[in-house]
Amino acid sequence: MQLVCQRVGTCSSCLKRQLKGFLGLIKWQRRLVPACDRTIYSETGKWEKSYGLETRKRVENWWLPRIKDQFCKISETDKSRPKFYVLSMFPYPSGKLHMGHVRVYTISDAVARFQKMRGMQVINPMGWDAFGLPAENAAVEHGLHPANWTQSNIQHMREQFEALGLSFTWEREITTCLPEYYKWTQYLFLKLFEAGIVYQKEALVNWDPVDQTVLANEQVDDNGCSWRSGAKVEQKYLKQWFIKTTAYAKAMFDALSNLPEWYGIKEMQANWIGDCVGCSLDFLLKVNGKVTEEKLAAYTYTPEAIYGASHLYILPTHRLLHGNSSLKEVFQREFIPAKDSLTSVTAVNLLTNQEIPVVISAKTNFENFLDTKIGIPSTSAEDAVVAKNLGISFTEVIETLPNGLEKVINSGEITGMTRQEALEAITQQAKNKGIGGDLTSDKLRDWLISRQRYWGTPIPIIHCQTCGTVPVPYEDLPVVLPSVTIFTGKGASPLETASEWVNCSCPRCKAAARREIDTMDTFVDSAWYYLRYTDPHNMDRPFNNDLADYWMPVDLYIGGKEHAVMHLFYARFFSHFCHNLKMTKHKEPFHKLLVQGLIKNQTFRLTTTGQCLKREEVDLTGTEPVYLKTGEKLQVAWEKMSKSKHNGIDPEELVKEYGIDTLRLYILFAAPPEQDILWDAKTDAMPGVQRWQTRLWTLVTKLIEARTSGTMPNPGLLNKKEKAEARKIWDQKNLVISEVTEYFTKDHLFNAAISRLMSLTNILHQASRPLILHSAEFEDALATLCVMVAPMAPHIASEMWKGLSHMQNKLCTHHHWDVDVLHQSWPKVDPEYLQPSDVVEMSVLINNKACGKVFVPQQAARNFEEVHELVLQSELGVKHLQGRTIKKAFLSPRTALINFLVQE
């Protein structure tokens, strides 16, 4: 570094810079920097002729800290300007970025820079989905507190982001494990609780009988054993918290029709929700005429026929037979395996007050995920058979009129209604009473959010023996996680050990009470984070309505296909719920989705054990890969990069070897975003983008050399052929602007955009020296090329622009040469290019075979007689049609084409 400073200090141009005080007065030296003396213009005011390894390192080292862009700062939000909200799914802070991260965040970075250059007010926020099981596992295995482990990982990953030149709106950063974030997750939980959309019921969990603890699904191996103790995992019923997402099923299904930009994902969402044709209704259970504390929600496909219900139908696997219900003994005693079992338990319909018996079904399963159904013989022949076999009486409630219209009979106040009218009336009555009625499907289940874990958002509920389940008052939020220091992975939740935290007083009666010790599923944290980004530092509410209304919906949401169902469903649910509370104007959170594919690498497995080998353990010299130690043939496959499969690639190593811009361009060029990338650095993609950067640099070098040659540029010196070449460059520039802009805005085909920029690069390389020296079109096309490259390869584009901007004798004055390339406006197609031409190129076919083209005036192009005559008089017509018998001619109404049918 000292040598560089000395060299710069003695450079005459740098001395002038120091004396004059600004770069604009630097005079280009006739001689370019010798190839052996690697430097860059931004450091010394001298242009380096070639773009080799050292130059690339200097360029990226120089520009990396200078092109950090905060996009729209919170204090600068101007609601009168058009906005663009680009959001990539935030990561779990595992501590290390992988290539999947690099791909999704490179895409969002390029889009954000592009939209800012288009004049949009842009946010591209970043945060951390920071609760979760891995942090707790680290605490068990390494004695690291989850908070410390998480914070350390976040710090490391932030540094990795910055080393990759990824530019986020960091002042909007959120971290879901911090109380200032999860306070508002708890606030939204309480709003759901108030709305009757949160409830508790027994549900099955994975139970380790040795460690006496609940296991997450990912802690159970393929053989159904505990990851830690090795014990066979059991299914156990525990009381769990649920969010009634089924209450919004129909609204969310219907809203999918308003999401035209959700290509392919809409169908997955629709399939997940299912056809919302029926609903659940609440029943109160009685035994021997006495009311119990048990309530049961049962599904029916025909709510309009509810007055014809004959029985309630439950499966033999139902929680009432296996959980902790007071009716468990009765049901088990009266259950006859493989037979429909009529029990002494009855169910009172809370809507109609009808009392019907509970039947345990002979079936082992109902449709999809149902375990409780309402038997209605009027609308189900199967239900009628069950009722008759068990001697259960029932009433017919559907009458078919002679004209085929079906009406409801024997049904109280809905008698006489059509089935559709009755359906609407019954479901509305049930919703008004809070006893069901929300149209949903037989496949969608409510969202189980309870986790018997420490590292999650505490559920803000207090259990009081007198008052029952009591929500924590809003003014007492957040309920902060206590400091727990010992994590064993055994026994009850670690929160159980924090007695001072668990034992509290009831907010209502002030008596002794206990806090809820379950924490929330991390999907809850990520179900509303996109709203918090709009107002991340608000201390008084989750977000300001006006700011959310301005920024929402997210214009482009980018992430992996593995999140296309559950995460998007939960995020849509929270958005619909907030809209119903009038917290937001928009129902749907995401306008357009970009679901990117995986980056895969080869795995090498032993055929005998399935064990994955490291690449250095594999002999790749022969026709087939074999195990170095034994010569055993291996199973080779392309799989998602993973540390356990030994096929991961460290992004930091790739940056050292190839550079930031090359890695970014490779990611964008190797495949369309939706497709998987099969990683192989030796394929054409990586060398291709390396060569392209070199060719771009060479173009800038050529122009600088020409303009510092001592000859003043003068477009008037171009001959006719050179002017035609210049026009071709101008045409291509406009065509590429049009196409690349469309690729960025519509399909996000960055690979196609790069391909078009490469084609423009090739055209400029064909330009003659006089054209380079004297043509404004060449200069403009090269400058425009630099601008369009900038969102994808910002470092090299910034340096090339710096070189061009200080070039003497420029011919183009419409570029803002005094500001860096990333602050340039995105180029627009020249108005003249968009104007219709005075002439049309008419394709001529003879007997359906193309034989050439003829120029005809625009105003004559749709007139058959005029086109016919002009073609006959043309050189082509004289050569191919003169003296021949024309049987018929057709002028295409859609395209510039005329077809002559002639006698052979």
Side-chain angles (χ1 to χ4, degrees), residues 531-639:
L531 287 164
R532 185 63 175 174
Y533 277 139
T534 67
D535 190 18
H537 305 305
N538 196 321
M539 304 292 287
D540 302 318
R541 45 186 162 163
F543 47 85
N544 177 283
N545 295 38
D546 290 340
L547 284 170
D549 290 346
Y550 171 72
W551 284 112
M552 294 296 292
V554 173
D555 294 280
L556 182 64
Y557 194 36
I558 310 168
K561 200 166 188 174
E562 65 271 24
H563 301 299
V565 176
M566 291 175 66
H567 163 63
L568 286 179
F569 176 77
Y570 299 143
R572 292 183 64 223
F573 167 79
F574 262 84
S575 186
H576 276 248
F577 177 69
C578 289
H579 173 77
N580 280 6
L581 290 186
K582 296 185 167 43
M583 294 173 70
T584 58
K585 179 171 68 177
H586 304 282
K587 270 189 183 180
E588 289 294 332
F590 312 120
H591 172 67
K592 188 170 186 176
L593 297 180
L594 181 56
V595 179
Q596 98 280 355
L598 301 172
I599 298 186
K600 296 181 176 180
N601 202 0
Q602 285 184 310
T603 54
F604 302 93
R605 295 176 187 270
L606 293 171
T607 53
T608 49
T609 64
Q611 176 192 346
C612 286
L613 299 178
K614 296 176 183 177
R615 193 166 278 252
E616 55 266 31
E617 297 176 300
V618 180
D619 182 357
L620 296 167
T621 58
T623 54
E624 290 184 273
V626 295
Y627 189 18
L628 267 175
K629 284 185 180 178
T630 64
E632 178 185 342
K633 287 186 180 180
L634 303 173
Q635 291 178 335
V636 183
W638 290 95
E639 297 185 55

Side-chain angles (χ1 to χ4, degrees), residues 151-407:
Q151 198 53 51
S152 172
N153 288 351
I154 286 173
Q155 183 59 37
H156 181 59
M157 288 177 76
R158 268 198 74 158
E159 291 167 3
Q160 287 183 301
F161 275 135
E162 300 203 353
L164 286 166
L166 296 168
S167 181
F168 295 107
T169 319
W170 280 113
E171 70 164 356
R172 293 179 182 270
E173 180 182 16
I174 58 173
T175 305
T176 60
C177 68
L178 296 180
E180 53 263 37
Y181 182 86
Y182 68 70
K183 171 182 179 177
W184 302 112
T185 305
Q186 293 171 340
Y187 172 95
L188 291 171
F189 176 93
L190 293 180
K191 288 293 182 185
L192 290 163
F193 185 87
E194 286 175 6
I197 296 178
V198 168
Y199 65 94
Q200 263 188 310
K201 75 171 184 180
E202 281 192 332
L204 287 171
V205 296
N206 299 314
W207 180 256
D208 183 329
V210 173
D211 284 347
Q212 293 286 296
T213 191
V214 175
L215 301 175
N217 288 336
E218 56 266 39
Q219 292 178 309
V220 181
D221 67 20
D222 293 338
N223 298 315
C225 296
S226 168
W227 70 309
R228 182 175 300 284
S229 71
K232 197 72 175 175
V233 172
E234 299 171 356
Q235 296 289 294
K236 182 176 180 178
Y237 277 96
L238 285 181
K239 212 165 190 184
Q240 308 272 282
W241 285 98
F242 288 81
I243 295 177
K244 197 186 292 183
T245 49
T246 51
Y248 280 75
K250 184 70 165 67
M252 291 172 66
F253 186 93
D254 292 345
L256 289 170
S257 62
N258 300 321
L259 298 172
E261 304 281 357
W262 282 41
Y263 306 116
I265 305 303
K266 271 203 304 191
E267 291 74 14
M268 296 170 73
Q269 284 279 303
N271 186 57
W272 176 265
I273 297 171
D275 294 327
C276 301
V277 294
C279 73
S280 291
L281 296 170
D282 288 349
F283 290 78
L284 192 63
L285 300 188
K286 295 169 69 174
V287 62
N288 299 323
K290 292 182 181 178
V291 175
T292 69
E293 294 181 357
E294 285 289 351
K295 264 189 183 180
L296 199 57
Y299 188 83
T300 174
Y301 294 98
T302 55
E304 69 277 13
I306 189 63
Y307 280 91
S310 59
H311 59 280
L312 210 62
Y313 222 16
I314 64 173
L315 288 176
T317 53
H318 197 280
R319 64 176 178 83
L320 290 174
L321 279 82
H322 303 280
N324 301 300
S325 166
S326 59
L327 299 174
K328 177 179 176 179
E329 189 178 325
V330 176
F331 279 124
Q332 287 187 342
R333 184 174 63 246
E334 297 179 349
F335 171 52
I336 304 171
K339 287 190 176 182
D340 290 322
S341 308
L342 181 62
T343 71
S344 59
V345 180
T346 57
V348 179
N349 186 324
L350 294 179
L351 184 65
T352 65
N353 292 319
Q354 290 174 295
E355 189 170 340
I356 54 177
V358 176
V359 173
I360 305 171
S361 176
K363 294 182 175 183
T364 55
N365 58 277
F366 294 144
E367 297 85 345
N368 289 309
F369 296 120
L370 296 180
D371 65 0
T372 312
K373 290 201 310 181
I374 303 172
I376 305 179
S378 286
T379 57
S380 167
E382 187 180 340
D383 292 345
V385 169
V386 171
K388 287 174 183 175
N389 288 344
L390 294 176
I392 303 171
S393 62
F394 59 87
T395 304
E396 291 290 349
V397 292
I398 302 295
E399 179 185 39
T400 305
L401 302 181
N403 62 2
L405 182 67
E406 291 183 310
K407 286 207 164 189

Side-chain angles (χ1 to χ4, degrees), residues 594-790:
L594 181 56
V595 179
Q596 98 280 355
L598 301 172
I599 298 186
K600 296 181 176 180
N601 202 0
Q602 285 184 310
T603 54
F604 302 93
R605 295 176 187 270
L606 293 171
T607 53
T608 49
T609 64
Q611 176 192 346
C612 286
L613 299 178
K614 296 176 183 177
R615 193 166 278 252
E616 55 266 31
E617 297 176 300
V618 180
D619 182 357
L620 296 167
T621 58
T623 54
E624 290 184 273
V626 295
Y627 189 18
L628 267 175
K629 284 185 180 178
T630 64
E632 178 185 342
K633 287 186 180 180
L634 303 173
Q635 291 178 335
V636 183
W638 290 95
E639 297 185 55
K640 181 181 178 181
M641 289 187 180
S642 163
K643 189 186 294 184
S644 63
K645 295 173 185 172
H646 305 298
N647 69 337
I649 304 282
D650 186 349
E652 291 182 63
E653 293 302 314
L654 290 173
V655 167
K656 286 178 188 173
E657 185 174 354
Y658 296 107
I660 301 170
D661 285 336
T662 304
L663 179 57
R664 286 170 64 101
L665 289 170
Y666 172 84
I667 289 287
L668 298 172
F669 184 57
E674 292 87 354
Q675 290 183 13
D676 294 342
I677 292 177
L678 303 182
W679 181 268
D680 187 349
K682 294 182 177 63
T683 60
D684 287 343
M686 189 69 86
V689 293
Q690 284 181 304
R691 285 193 302 270
W692 181 43
Q693 291 172 88
T694 303
R695 287 167 65 77
L696 286 169
W697 191 272
T698 302
L699 284 174
V700 176
T701 301
K702 282 183 178 181
L703 185 56
I704 291 171
E705 283 181 320
R707 295 295 171 82
T708 57
S709 64
T711 304
M712 288 294 290
N714 182 358
L717 296 177
L718 295 174
N719 60 34
K720 186 177 179 181
K721 182 183 176 183
E722 289 161 349
K723 286 179 180 176
E725 282 185 56
R727 174 72 188 198
K728 181 184 174 184
I729 287 173
W730 180 85
D731 281 337
Q732 282 298 311
K733 179 206 74 170
N734 281 292
L735 177 61
V736 171
I737 289 172
S738 172
E739 292 178 334
V740 171
T741 304
E742 186 162 324
Y743 288 138
F744 259 95
T745 53
K746 290 189 178 177
D747 302 321
H748 303 289
L749 296 175
F750 306 106
N751 59 319
I754 291 172
S755 181
R756 295 303 292 124
L757 294 174
M758 286 176 170
S759 72
L760 182 57
T761 305
N762 292 340
I763 286 167
L764 293 179
H765 263 285
Q766 294 166 13
S768 60
R769 181 170 174 76
L771 204 65
I772 296 171
L773 175 59
H774 297 299
S775 165
E777 289 84 355
F778 181 92
E779 180 185 309
D780 183 34
L782 182 54
T784 300
L785 182 58
C786 278
V787 173
M788 290 193 286
V789 167

Side-chain angles (χ1 to χ4, degrees), residues 482-484 494-504 513-515:
S483 179
V484 173
L495 287 175
E496 188 80 77
T497 65
S499 56
E500 290 185 8
W501 181 84
V502 173
N503 297 312
C504 60
R514 285 174 58 85
R515 291 192 188 279

Side-chain angles (χ1 to χ4, degrees), residues 67-72 113 116 167-170 822-823:
I67 62 172
K68 287 181 184 175
D69 198 330
Q70 294 300 308
F71 295 104
C72 178
R113 294 186 188 280
K116 187 175 183 188
S167 181
F168 295 107
T169 319
W170 280 113
L822 288 168
H823 297 283

